[in-house]
């Protein structure tokens, strides 16, 4: 599965709108993950995996970032499986 998704942001369209995430007045957000289409579930898993990569790459230089990015799909697979858990 390719981990690539383009989300166009024009005027009022945003990533949260694309995923159907509800934004509460206090700033918290919620999404009915199980009700999302599989491709939207994957977008969430990849976004989470990118956060793991970012945290794991901090201060490691280009080679460390590349090593983490090479594991992106595996991280996303594990996160997606855990969310379906």
């Amino acid at each position: 599965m390719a981990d690539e998704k383009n989300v166009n942001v024009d005027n009022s369209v945003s990533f949260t709108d694309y995923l159907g995430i509800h934004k509460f007045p206090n700033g918290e957000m919620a999404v009915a993950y199980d009700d999302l289409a599989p491709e939207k579930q994957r977008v969430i898993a990849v976004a989470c995996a990118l956060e793991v990569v970012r945290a794991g790459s901090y201060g490691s230089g280009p080679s460390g970032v590349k090593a983490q990015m090479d594991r992106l799909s595996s991280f996303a697979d594990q996160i997606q499986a855990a969310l379906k858990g």
Side-chain angles (χ1 to χ4, degrees), residues 9-67:
V9 179
D10 292 326
N11 299 330
S12 65
V13 178
S14 71
F15 194 66
T16 55
D17 293 333
Y18 170 78
L19 291 173
I21 295 174
H22 178 76
K23 293 181 267 185
F24 295 98
N26 66 358
E28 292 183 8
M29 293 184 255
V31 65
Y33 180 82
D34 292 335
D35 295 338
L36 293 175
E39 61 272 6
K40 289 186 179 184
Q41 291 178 349
R42 186 63 178 184
V43 168
I44 290 174
V46 171
C48 293
L50 283 168
E51 287 298 314
V52 171
V53 166
R54 184 176 67 88
S57 301
Y58 184 74
S60 65
S63 62
V65 173
K66 177 162 179 10

